[in-house]
Every structure is written in structure tokens, then in C-alpha cells.
Amino acid sequence: MSDAIHLHRDDEASKLGMWLFIFTELLLFAGLFIVYGIYRYLNPVAFHLAAEELSVTVGTVNTIILLVSSATMAMASTAIRLKNKQLTILLLLATLFMAFMFMTNKYFEWKGKFEHGIFPGSEDLLRLGHGDTLFFGLYFFMTGLHALHIIVGFVLITIVCYRVNNNTLTNENPVLLDNSGLYWHLVDLIWIFLFPLFYLIT
């Protein structure tokens, strides 16, 4: 009985730690969103024109990818509790595949910008003006920071998948999977705000 209580407390502490981490990450991005809002207010025309350089189609596809991946991650948490190991692994692999697809799309999107000389510090971008420089500076920094979170999530989910396959993560100790799921939902939530700010508000 005491062991069960001890494990329960450890799980709760782990989840609380993850929620606190998520809170600090939300504060970080909230600050960046405020900075974006201020600069957009000060440079409305430049931000409007710069936003038209981004592909709404690519942004929409990536949004759909992340929303579906969030669903598969949530279903993996349910599957592990139903003691369905194979389905859990399948759902985790599906999440990893969609994370890879997101990063692939983001790579080609960034590549296109670099090929056209639009990247922080480039002469072409500086010639466009101060407002455009601010927009794309924020675009590369914020989407780059988000991409870093995607990579961290990819590593976490890979570890979870490995542990489920080795039976060291089961329905009796799913907290690592749950915390990874919370982190992945954070990644999705951040993108839900980035997408309209950079792609839709033109």
C-alpha cells in the first residue's frame, strides 16, 4: 500500500513539474507574441506586405499535420491504459511521422526564403526596409524556436516508443507518455497562435 502511495506521489510530482514547465514556456511565447503585436502596430504596412511572402497553403498543411498528431498522441495515452501495446506504438510512430512531415515542410519553406535572400542579416532583406526586417526576424526566431520544441518532442516520443516496446512503460506507469503528450500539446498550441499571426493576418 505504501509503495503504491509513493508511486502515486511521484507521478503527481512529475505531472506538476511538467505543468510548471509548460507555464514557463507559455510565458516565454506570450512575451514574444506581445513583441510581435507591438512591432506590427508600429509597422502595419510593412508587416502586411511581408506576410504575403509566406505560403498560406504550407502553413495550413502544417497546422493540419500538428492537429492530427496531437490527436494520435492523445489516443496513445488511452491505448496504453487499455493495455494495447501494439496500438500504442503505432500511434506513437504516427505522431513521429507527422512531426517529421512538419519539419520537412518547414525546411523547404525556410530553404525557399534563403534562396530568395530573405533571412536575418541578408542584404536583400535589409533593402526591403526596417519593417520587413523586423517581421522576418520575428518569423525566423519564433518559428525556429517552435521547430526546436518539435525536435525535443520528437526525441521524447522516440524514448517513449522505445520504452513501450521494451515493456518498461506500461499501463501501470504511463506518466512519461502522459508528460510527453502534454509537451506535444504545448507544441501544437504554440503553432495555433503562430499560424494566424504570420500567415493569415495580412
Side-chain angles (χ1 to χ4, degrees):
M1 181 68 175
S2 60
D3 290 341
I5 293 175
H6 179 69
L7 287 173
H8 174 72
R9 287 177 179 173
D10 284 347
D11 289 352
E12 291 302 314
S14 178
K15 289 180 180 179
L16 177 60
M18 178 54 72
W19 278 112
L20 289 174
F21 172 76
I22 288 174
F23 179 71
T24 60
E25 290 295 291
L26 288 175
L27 286 179
L28 168 63
F29 276 93
L32 292 173
F33 293 147
I34 291 172
V35 170
Y36 172 93
I38 292 172
Y39 281 137
R40 186 180 189 92
Y41 175 77
L42 296 174
N43 304 273
V45 176
F47 270 54
H48 169 82
L49 295 175
E52 292 182 341
E53 297 296 322
L54 300 179
S55 171
V56 176
T57 301
V58 172
T60 301
V61 169
N62 272 345
T63 301
I64 294 171
I65 288 173
L66 282 187
L67 289 175
V68 174
S69 73
S70 188
T72 56
M73 196 65 193
M75 287 188 287
S77 291
T78 301
I80 196 70
R81 285 172 169 76
L82 296 175
K83 303 179 181 180
N84 194 330
K85 173 183 173 180
Q86 296 303 319
L87 180 59
T88 302
I89 293 174
L90 180 63
L91 289 167
L92 290 172
L93 289 176
T95 305
L96 289 173
F97 174 74
M98 283 179 276
F100 175 78
M101 289 300 298
F102 179 94
M103 291 301 294
T104 300
N105 287 341
K106 184 56 62 180
Y107 165 77
F108 284 110
E109 184 180 31
W110 276 34
K111 183 173 180 288
K113 294 293 175 289
F114 273 71
E115 288 176 347
H116 287 87
I118 300 177
F119 55 89
S122 71
E123 293 182 1
D124 290 338
L125 182 57
L126 292 174
R127 278 197 294 267
L128 290 175
H130 182 64
D132 294 81
T133 302
L134 288 173
F135 178 88
F136 283 106
L138 287 169
Y139 163 76
F140 279 109
F141 180 76
M142 293 171 72
T143 59
L145 186 59
H146 177 260
L148 179 61
H149 283 70
I150 291 277
I151 293 171
V152 172
F154 191 95
V155 173
L156 280 174
I157 297 169
T158 300
I159 293 171
V160 169
C161 195
Y162 175 80
R163 289 193 57 185
V164 171
N165 187 57
N166 285 353
N167 298 314
T168 56
L169 195 159
T170 66
N171 64 299
E172 296 179 355
N173 62 332
V175 66
L176 180 60
L177 193 159
D178 292 341
N179 283 343
S180 298
L182 286 173
Y183 179 85
W184 195 250
H185 297 325
L186 167 68
V187 170
D188 295 348
L189 179 63
I190 292 170
W191 180 256
I192 291 300
F193 285 95
L194 290 176
F195 174 55
L197 285 180
F198 286 107
Y199 295 84
L200 298 183
I201 303 177
T202 60

